[in-house]
Amino acid sequence: MKKIINGVDSLLEESLSGFAKAHSDIIQLNSTPHFVSRKNGSQTPKVALISGGGSGHEPLHTGLVGMGMLDAACPGQIFTSPTPDQMMAAAQAVENGAGVLFIVKNYAGDVMNFEIAAEMLECQHQTVLVCDDVSLDKDHSTGRRGVAGTLIVEKIVGAAAEAGASLQQCKDLGDRVNNATASMGLALTSCTVPALGRPTFDIGSNEIEMGVGIHGERGREPMDLTSASEMVAHLVAAIDKALQPQQGQKVLLHVNGFGGTPLMELYLIYDLAAQYWQEKGVEIVRSLVGNYTTSLDMAGASVTLTLLDDDMLTYWDAPVHTANLRWGC
Amino acid sequence: MKKIINGVDSLLEESLSGFAKAHSDIIQLNSTPHFVSRKNGSQTPKVALISGGGSGHEPLHTGLVGMGMLDAACPGQIFTSPTPDQMMAAAQAVENGAGVLFIVKNYAGDVMNFEIAAEMLECQHQTVLVCDDVSLDKDHSTGRRGVAGTLIVEKIVGAAAEAGASLQQCKDLGDRVNNATASMGLALTSCTVPALGRPTFDIGSNEIEMGVGIHGERGREPMDLTSASEMVAHLVAAIDKALQPQQGQKVLLHVNGFGGTPLMELYLIYDLAAQYWQEKGVEIVRSLVGNYTTSLDMAGASVTLTLLDDDMLTYWDAPVHTANLRWGC
């Protein structure tokens, strides 16, 4: 295992310390228990958005804390759910009279721990469960996983909260964005979790993992490594089937890198995906290309489509100032 | 070789096509010859900033074209200099009466081709040569290479040009930023150039390449893979020796990933580098952490320090709107 670290046990702490130093103008780090919260929060009551999950997916979620997006993020150990005490402490720090909205990716550990925290919260609260990964069937035993669409939920609901939407409005909007969003990814290589010290799954030199999850979970099937056009065709077909965008539908197209794939390839994937929907008359009005929901050093990428209504588009465009997503200010 | 591509020969074209589609609000792509130029350029005469270089370093330079930064970028084939006709065509497209400033990384091919283009330009023009890589001695036969500091030169001079600085002022400022900037990097793995189909250099499983260039060129020496603290100590010591920042000096600290290294590790490197200079009383007033000057899928990172004066700080903070660097608008 080749990593720039001092030790498996200190990696998260040292990384968060660097993150907090580099972005001390907009966020602050609480160390016991770990959470990152927004500096200069709202003076008037505003719904507090809190997310979190295992580390190793950066910039999700810590890099998305700030004006117009999350109020706090709770990082767990790598690929490990944060604990309820982190969520409780974060909620106590950022709740300011309008309630707490948890945004949770659909993984058993995350769901359970956010539920425990929610039960203990004394303020009003709601949860949006993100489950945008269409590599699994809708009736899969544990439901669909939450992947790169999470950022889109967080951005749109973050803007609504900033604009003064109520807790129920934020919850409803979050569910609406989640239902309007579908993602699917593929991996060329595994990632290496430092504590494990070796690749988390095996993959042949001429194989890809189609429908991979963001921790390297198996999706649909291993497939032969083939042309980008053929591989992307699988991704967009599954997404198109799930969302069935009509001619004239406005959409956001997000190509997300898992970490080890160069930007040149991500833009090539974008080109192919955009072409597919443009030929169907779908209007791609917003785009996001880059490494946002990563899986450490995994090579691969996912495609995410969100069917936008006017509100969602307005909220997507609203100013945001976080470490890793910033515009309008 | 595992890549998401359709073919080695079409990769650049397809990738640029995706880039142009994803960012059609701010840039446009010229195909014959290749250059990316800013949409909605200045109506009044403004120095036109043009950069370029081999592809494979994205977002450098195409991702840095837009308001407040570059007016055009000329992408060559992967790790291959663009040709003079690209630079000429870009200059003709974006020059609007105040002259052209070429910003060139110090590599023989780039320098030669930008010189040929400059000789053929009929408008007034100047060139800033970036040579911030302190892994090589100042009296090295070909001089020091231009690496991650290039972005800092482009951002600061871009803001000055936007504010109406003259060609000579932009040239002088660019030289000043270059002289105030030092970088050094290390690689854990090689990168794989698609046309070659295999890693460009060999590196042992317990070795790192200290002082590596952004194409995988050998720097100082191979070293044993050791703790992050020891590895980063080498980087910061070389940079500190080159720039000798004094107590109270304001600096910009940039940790750049080469592509295959997770953000968690980049922030850990930032933490160690920041600690080093903070202990010396150096004031880190601005930070940038992420993958900006990449080497395809190479795992590794570089540290860059720029000694800031008040003008540079003002220009760094000025609004910028490009595909991959954006704030203030």
Side-chain angles (χ1 to χ4, degrees):
Chain A
M1 177 180 66
K2 295 181 97 170
K3 306 253 181 209
I4 307 170
I5 62 176
N6 282 321
V8 168
D9 294 338
S10 62
L11 167 57
L12 178 60
E13 188 72 37
E14 290 179 89
S15 177
L16 285 172
S17 168
F19 179 79
K21 279 182 195 166
H23 303 292
S24 61
D25 52 332
I26 54 168
I27 60 95
Q28 57 203 2
L29 172 66
N30 191 75
S31 284
T32 322
H34 279 145
F35 66 86
V36 168
S37 63
R38 169 181 169 185
K39 266 188 181 170
N40 313 315
S42 178
Q43 295 305 306
T44 53
K46 170 199 158 300
V47 175
L49 263 59
I50 301 177
S51 191
S55 293
H57 305 301
E58 289 68 25
L60 195 77
H61 299 272
T62 47
L64 305 175
V65 173
M67 195 281 289
M69 218 158 164
L70 298 177
D71 293 278
C74 306
Q77 290 293 326
I78 290 178
F79 292 179
T80 303
S81 173
T83 52
D85 64 312
Q86 291 177 258
M87 300 148 193
M88 289 288 295
Q92 280 157 8
V94 300
E95 205 279 329
N96 81 336
V100 166
L101 185 71
F102 286 148
I103 300 179
V104 183
K105 299 194 297 302
N106 187 29
Y107 295 96
D110 289 359
V111 171
M112 182 180 72
N113 286 347
F114 272 103
E115 269 177 11
I116 293 171
E119 278 171 22
M120 293 192 292
L121 274 189
E122 289 175 6
C123 63
Q124 54 171 334
H125 55 84
Q126 294 268 15
T127 296
V128 171
L129 197 63
V130 184
C131 47
D132 57 314
D133 186 349
V134 297
S135 68
L136 300 179
D137 287 333
K138 255 195 167 160
D139 55 1
H140 185 269
S141 59
T142 55
R144 287 172 165 172
R145 303 175 293 224
V147 290
T150 312
L151 176 146
I152 297 167
V153 174
E154 292 176 353
K155 171 66 185 83
I156 290 176
V157 179
E162 201 74 42
S166 71
L167 180 60
Q168 191 59 48
Q169 287 169 327
C170 288
K171 155 73 176 162
D172 293 344
L173 178 63
D175 287 342
R176 202 147 51 95
V177 177
N178 178 54
N179 289 330
T181 299
S183 302
M184 196 159 111
L186 63 86
L188 303 187
T189 70
S190 174
C191 50
T192 298
V193 175
L196 191 62
R198 55 177 170 75
T200 54
F201 65 94
D202 293 323
I203 188 163
S205 64
N206 284 309
E207 248 182 18
I208 64 163
E209 189 67 43
M210 178 60 67
V212 72
I214 56 173
H215 313 90
E217 308 94 320
R218 175 143 294 183
R220 301 203 152 187
E221 66 224 324
M223 276 180 47
D224 285 347
L225 175 67
T226 174
S227 69
S229 292
E230 280 187 54
M231 294 190 285
V232 173
H234 277 265
L235 301 180
V236 297
I239 293 166
D240 194 74
K241 187 178 166 198
L243 292 180
Q244 303 188 8
Q246 302 300 302
Q247 196 173 359
Q249 170 70 51
K250 289 180 181 170
V251 299
L252 163 65
L253 176 55
H254 173 30
V255 173
N256 172 59
F258 287 140
T261 285
L263 210 44
M264 282 190 84
E265 294 173 47
L266 300 186
Y267 277 114
L268 186 149
I269 294 167
Y270 179 91
D271 192 49
L272 295 166
Q275 196 176 327
Y276 175 85
W277 279 300
Q278 280 168 346
E279 281 172 6
K280 292 191 159 216
V282 173
E283 282 185 48
I284 303 167
V285 295
R286 294 294 180 274
S287 303
L288 186 70
V289 181
N291 296 303
Y292 290 98
T293 302
T294 62
S295 306
L296 294 169
D297 53 350
M298 189 158 83
S302 61
V303 173
T304 298
L305 196 76
T306 298
L307 310 185
L308 294 171
D309 61 27
D310 290 345
D311 281 351
M312 293 183 203
L313 183 54
T314 301
Y315 289 136
W316 178 261
D317 287 343
V320 59
H321 187 175
T322 70
N324 295 96
L325 202 70
R326 181 173 177 186
W327 55 71
C329 54
Chain B
M1 176 181 66
K2 296 182 97 170
K3 305 254 180 206
I4 307 171
I5 61 176
N6 282 319
V8 167
D9 295 336
S10 62
L11 168 55
L12 178 60
E13 188 71 37
E14 290 180 88
S15 178
L16 285 172
S17 169
F19 179 79
K21 279 182 194 164
H23 304 292
S24 61
D25 53 331
I26 52 168
I27 60 93
Q28 56 203 2
L29 172 66
N30 190 75
S31 285
T32 323
H34 279 146
F35 66 86
V36 167
S37 63
R38 169 181 169 185
K39 266 188 181 169
N40 314 316
S42 178
Q43 296 304 306
T44 53
K46 169 198 158 299
V47 175
L49 263 59
I50 301 176
S51 191
S55 293
H57 305 301
E58 290 70 26
L60 194 78
H61 300 273
T62 47
L64 305 175
V65 173
M67 196 282 291
M69 216 156 165
L70 297 178
D71 292 278
C74 305
Q77 289 294 326
I78 290 177
F79 293 179
T80 303
S81 173
T83 50
D85 64 311
Q86 291 177 259
M87 300 148 192
M88 289 288 296
Q92 279 156 9
V94 300
E95 204 279 330
N96 82 337
V100 166
L101 185 71
F102 285 148
I103 300 179
V104 183
K105 300 195 297 302
N106 187 29
Y107 295 97
D110 289 0
V111 171
M112 182 180 72
N113 286 347
F114 272 103
E115 268 178 11
I116 293 171
E119 278 170 23
M120 292 192 292
L121 275 189
E122 289 174 6
C123 63
Q124 55 170 335
H125 54 85
Q126 293 269 15
T127 296
V128 171
L129 197 64
V130 184
C131 47
D132 56 313
D133 185 350
V134 297
S135 68
L136 301 179
D137 287 332
K138 256 196 166 158
D139 55 1
H140 185 268
S141 59
T142 55
R144 287 172 164 171
R145 302 173 294 223
V147 291
T150 312
L151 176 147
I152 298 167
V153 174
E154 292 176 354
K155 171 67 185 83
I156 290 176
V157 180
E162 202 73 42
S166 70
L167 179 59
Q168 191 60 48
Q169 287 169 329
C170 288
K171 155 73 176 162
D172 292 346
L173 178 63
D175 287 342
R176 203 147 52 93
V177 177
N178 178 55
N179 288 330
T181 298
S183 302
M184 196 157 109
L186 62 85
L188 303 187
T189 70
S190 175
C191 49
T192 299
V193 175
L196 190 63
R198 56 177 170 75
T200 53
F201 65 94
D202 293 322
I203 188 163
S205 64
N206 284 310
E207 247 182 19
I208 64 163
E209 188 67 44
M210 178 59 70
V212 73
I214 57 174
H215 312 92
E217 308 95 319
R218 174 143 294 184
R220 302 202 151 187
E221 66 224 324
M223 276 179 49
D224 284 348
L225 176 67
T226 174
S227 70
S229 293
E230 278 187 55
M231 293 190 285
V232 173
H234 276 266
L235 300 180
V236 298
I239 292 167
D240 194 74
K241 186 178 166 199
L243 292 179
Q244 305 190 6
Q246 303 299 302
Q247 195 172 359
Q249 170 70 51
K250 289 182 181 168
V251 298
L252 163 65
L253 175 56
H254 173 31
V255 173
N256 172 60
F258 287 140
T261 286
L263 211 44
M264 282 190 84
E265 295 174 46
L266 300 186
Y267 278 113
L268 186 149
I269 295 167
Y270 179 90
D271 192 50
L272 295 167
Q275 196 175 327
Y276 174 85
W277 280 300
Q278 281 168 346
E279 282 172 5
K280 292 191 158 215
V282 173
E283 281 185 48
I284 302 167
V285 295
R286 295 295 180 272
S287 303
L288 186 70
V289 181
N291 295 303
Y292 290 98
T293 302
T294 61
S295 305
L296 294 168
D297 53 350
M298 190 158 84
S302 61
V303 173
T304 298
L305 196 77
T306 297
L307 310 186
L308 294 170
D309 61 27
D310 290 345
D311 280 351
M312 293 183 204
L313 183 54
T314 301
Y315 288 136
W316 178 262
D317 287 343
V320 60
H321 187 175
T322 70
N324 295 97
L325 202 70
R326 182 173 177 184
W327 56 70
C329 54

